Amino acid sequence: MKLPEITVVTPTIGPRELQLHRARFSVDIQTYTGEVRHLIVEDENHDGAPITRQRGLDAVDTEWVAFLDDDDEFLQQHLERLMWAANEHDADYVYSWYNVIGGTDPRPEEFGRPWDPSDPRQTTITTLVRTNVAQAAGFLLEGGETEDLTSPDRHYAGEDWRFTKRIADSGATIFHLPEKTWLWYHWHNGTHGNTSGLPKNW
């Protein structure tokens, strides 16, 4: 049986070439034996990761889409394990967990906690999703605006969580694979670092 095709969407910006090289290599060495495309979307206008990620998502035409930020890294089995979980649990959206490099996990209590639609939690953006489900949810608010990530009353999880919440509200099936299949880098070089979705950090 032919395995579904997956497009990995990675938003990026100029000063992060070294991180992007690492991310690209981690996609290249995946053990998943179906076709994997890697769509790298350059943020030329400093619009921020959500808008750049949305541009990539709009261009995807494979059955499944996965997301990888340019400063993170898949472990070799990431796509294989997430697709296995999607098939095994008839899921539209699958997320695993991460090992933190250069910091500590801010929410270790979420690892292995089964998805509960009545109490949705942060799942991170590094997910595998049916493309039609992801495109229907999107990363932008109504009218094409982005969330005000500087608002003091915003949910701690920001646009990642809101994307997941819209998918959950659509009736899609979400599954948490209790395995650590990717690396989340916490870093800052004095000029650039983790963005937390903020264009000023991007």
Side-chain angles (χ1 to χ4, degrees):
M1 182 179 70
K2 184 179 180 181
L3 292 172
E5 297 177 358
I6 303 171
T7 297
V8 179
V9 173
T10 296
T12 191
I13 196 166
R16 295 149 73 106
E17 290 92 346
L18 292 178
Q19 288 89 351
L20 178 60
H21 176 77
R22 181 181 62 207
R24 292 179 70 166
F25 181 72
S26 78
V27 174
D28 289 343
I29 63 171
Q30 288 298 293
T31 57
Y32 183 70
T33 55
E35 181 179 348
V36 177
R37 307 176 189 176
H38 195 184
L39 179 58
I40 298 167
V41 189
E42 178 82 20
D43 182 1
E44 298 176 347
N45 300 315
H46 282 242
D47 292 322
I51 290 177
T52 307
R53 191 180 294 118
Q54 182 66 48
R55 286 172 45 217
L57 175 58
D58 290 343
V60 174
D61 61 2
T62 53
E63 182 180 354
W64 291 85
V65 59
F67 299 99
L68 175 65
D69 284 353
D70 66 349
D71 56 351
D72 294 325
E73 180 180 357
F74 289 162
L75 298 180
Q76 282 184 282
Q77 75 278 18
H78 177 81
L79 293 177
E80 180 181 6
R81 295 301 296 155
L82 265 60
M83 185 60 76
W84 171 86
N87 289 328
E88 186 74 7
H89 299 276
D90 195 22
D92 305 299
Y93 175 119
V94 180
Y95 67 100
S96 56
W97 212 243
Y98 47 75
N99 284 312
V100 176
I101 307 298
T104 57
D105 187 351
R107 43 188 178 274
E109 71 280 1
E110 302 296 344
F111 173 56
R113 179 182 182 273
W115 170 256
D116 180 358
S118 68
D119 185 22
R121 301 291 186 94
Q122 169 73 333
T123 61
T124 78
I125 201 55
T126 310
T127 58
L128 178 70
V129 192
R130 289 189 187 276
T131 299
N132 63 327
V133 172
Q135 289 174 337
F139 293 100
L140 306 182
L141 302 178
E142 290 185 13
E145 300 297 321
T146 57
E147 177 189 359
D148 180 9
L149 298 178
T150 63
S151 171
D153 60 351
R154 68 183 275 256
H155 190 285
Y156 80 97
E159 45 97 13
D160 298 1
W161 179 83
R162 294 182 189 279
F163 172 71
T164 303
K165 181 70 164 55
R166 286 192 292 271
I167 286 178
D169 289 346
S170 76
T173 301
I174 298 177
F175 180 75
H176 173 41
L177 177 67
E179 299 177 12
K180 296 184 177 182
T181 67
W182 62 282
L183 303 179
W184 181 17
Y185 285 83
H186 291 196
W187 63 282
H188 201 282
N189 63 11
T191 304
H192 302 283
N194 290 103
T195 67
S196 298
L198 295 172
K200 70 181 181 64
N201 295 336
W202 178 243

